[in-house]
Amino acid sequence: MKLRPSGDNLAGYAFISPFIIGFLAFTIIPMVVSLYLSFTNYDLFSTPQWVGLGNYIEMFTGDEKYWTTIKVTFTYVLAGVPLRLTFALIVAMLLNRASRMVGIYRTLFYLPSIIGGSVAVAIMWRNIFGNEGTINQLLFFMGIDQKIYWYQEPTSALWTLILLSVWQFGSSMLIFLAGLKNISPEYYEAASVDGANPFQKFFKITLPLLSPIIFFNLVMQTISAFMTFTPAYIISKGEGGPLDGTLLYSLYLFQKAFNFFQMGYASAMAWVMLLIVGILTLILFKTSKYWVHYESKEG
């Protein structure tokens, strides 16, 4: 007995076919191709030559700049993500209070997240921290005559990127705000009756009940931070300077692929990054049972 697809099934397949075709064409197939290319020497113009683990061996043992970009990227992530989430939570708690202007404030704080990844914002940020930029002008009005050359020293240059990342806290803020709205006021009322102060309420009520939201934001923002490219490219003018101080992993991968035409090496870098992000995400999930608290657990 043959089973023939019904009209409803055919209609369903027709509706999901754009997604399936797009997923195969722009995700699965490119991933498979990049995995193959990671084991080859490929310059975009000639036939790929199989080198086995040569790209990975060169990456870990022969490329000193690779370890520099690992250090820079981890510094960017470990400094930027906590600061970003901290500011997002602080602003969310301020906006959680009733106010007639709260809707406008939410929009204003969310705007940087919408436009923050654009080239125009990166150019603006580079000019703000320029030698004659807004920051140095403000320092001059405050009585500090000595200019700070932000982009001539690796540490200060990297911190301009971190500050730009922190400034784009709007999406995390809205998620935190939604989580705060779901915390029942009865918890705080009961704590007030027991004589709890604001700090005790925050650490004993707000943080535990908000921990699933914190966990979600932490995972998403960590992944997003590792993929940061546009600000580093624009601010450093594609070079990752000074002294490779802003050479994020994604920027170095871009240089290898499109400046030096080492597409096989760049593909290997992409798969190592996928492995690094996957391991960090797994660690976050494994450790979440010690600090993420849920109101109810099924089973």
Side-chain angles (χ1 to χ4, degrees), residues 28-49:
I28 297 299
I29 294 177
M31 287 182 65
V32 173
V33 172
S34 70
L35 180 61
Y36 166 73
L37 291 177
S38 70
F39 298 103
T40 67
N41 183 14
Y42 180 49
D43 61 4
L44 290 176
F45 303 104
S46 59
T47 303
Q49 298 178 353

Side-chain angles (χ1 to χ4, degrees), residues 179-257:
L180 290 171
K181 293 292 185 181
N182 287 328
I183 299 178
S184 175
E186 296 178 356
Y187 293 118
Y188 297 104
E189 294 172 0
S192 298
V193 172
D194 292 335
N197 58 45
F199 290 99
Q200 291 173 324
K201 294 178 182 178
F202 176 75
F203 288 104
K204 298 295 184 179
I205 299 176
T206 305
L207 280 185
L209 293 179
L210 205 61
S211 58
I213 306 297
I214 297 174
F215 173 65
F216 173 80
N217 273 334
L218 179 61
V219 171
M220 298 303 296
Q221 295 302 321
T222 299
I223 296 173
S224 175
F226 273 104
M227 296 189 299
T228 301
F229 170 76
T230 303
Y233 182 83
I234 297 299
I235 290 176
S236 69
K237 299 181 180 179
E239 299 178 355
L243 300 176
D244 299 329
T246 58
L247 189 62
L248 296 182
Y249 197 100
S250 58
L251 179 56
Y252 188 48
L253 188 154
F254 175 86
Q255 290 179 351
K256 284 292 185 180

Side-chain angles (χ1 to χ4, degrees), residues 15-33:
F15 278 114
I16 65 174
S17 61
F19 168 78
I20 295 176
I21 295 172
F23 184 70
L24 290 174
F26 300 108
T27 303
I28 297 299
I29 294 177
M31 287 182 65
V32 173
V33 172

Side-chain angles (χ1 to χ4, degrees), residues 84-94 169 172-173 176-177 180 202 206-207 210 214:
R84 189 174 188 174
L85 294 183
T86 299
F87 276 98
L89 180 56
I90 293 173
V91 175
M93 293 183 66
L94 293 175
F169 61 82
S172 300
M173 177 207 67
F176 278 138
L177 188 58
L180 290 171
F202 176 75
T206 305
L207 280 185
L210 205 61
I214 297 174

Side-chain angles (χ1 to χ4, degrees), residues 82-235:
L83 286 174
R84 189 174 188 174
L85 294 183
T86 299
F87 276 98
L89 180 56
I90 293 173
V91 175
M93 293 183 66
L94 293 175
L95 295 181
N96 193 39
R97 300 179 180 180
S99 173
R100 290 182 297 179
M101 302 288 291
V102 67
I104 297 176
Y105 292 145
R106 291 175 189 171
T107 303
L108 292 176
F109 281 120
Y110 184 64
L111 278 177
S113 293
I114 299 177
I115 63 175
S118 67
V119 174
V121 170
I123 294 175
M124 177 199 72
W125 203 260
R126 186 180 66 192
N127 292 334
I128 287 176
F129 285 91
N131 296 341
E132 303 295 335
T134 306
I135 300 300
N136 280 333
Q137 293 294 330
L138 290 175
L139 293 176
F140 176 78
F141 286 123
M142 294 172 61
I144 302 176
D145 296 334
Q146 183 67 34
K147 290 183 179 179
I148 300 178
Y149 298 97
W150 299 94
Y151 300 125
Q152 295 182 13
E153 201 277 323
T155 301
S156 60
L158 179 59
W159 271 98
T160 61
L161 291 179
I162 294 173
L163 291 176
L164 176 57
S165 171
V166 174
W167 179 64
Q168 302 165 19
F169 61 82
S171 58
S172 300
M173 177 207 67
L174 289 182
I175 296 173
F176 278 138
L177 188 58
L180 290 171
K181 293 292 185 181
N182 287 328
I183 299 178
S184 175
E186 296 178 356
Y187 293 118
Y188 297 104
E189 294 172 0
S192 298
V193 172
D194 292 335
N197 58 45
F199 290 99
Q200 291 173 324
K201 294 178 182 178
F202 176 75
F203 288 104
K204 298 295 184 179
I205 299 176
T206 305
L207 280 185
L209 293 179
L210 205 61
S211 58
I213 306 297
I214 297 174
F215 173 65
F216 173 80
N217 273 334
L218 179 61
V219 171
M220 298 303 296
Q221 295 302 321
T222 299
I223 296 173
S224 175
F226 273 104
M227 296 189 299
T228 301
F229 170 76
T230 303
Y233 182 83
I234 297 299
I235 290 176

Side-chain angles (χ1 to χ4, degrees), residues 219 222-223 226-227 272-282:
V219 171
T222 299
I223 296 173
F226 273 104
M227 296 189 299
V272 171
M273 173 55 68
L274 177 64
L275 182 62
I276 292 173
V277 174
I279 292 174
L280 290 178
T281 304
L282 180 62

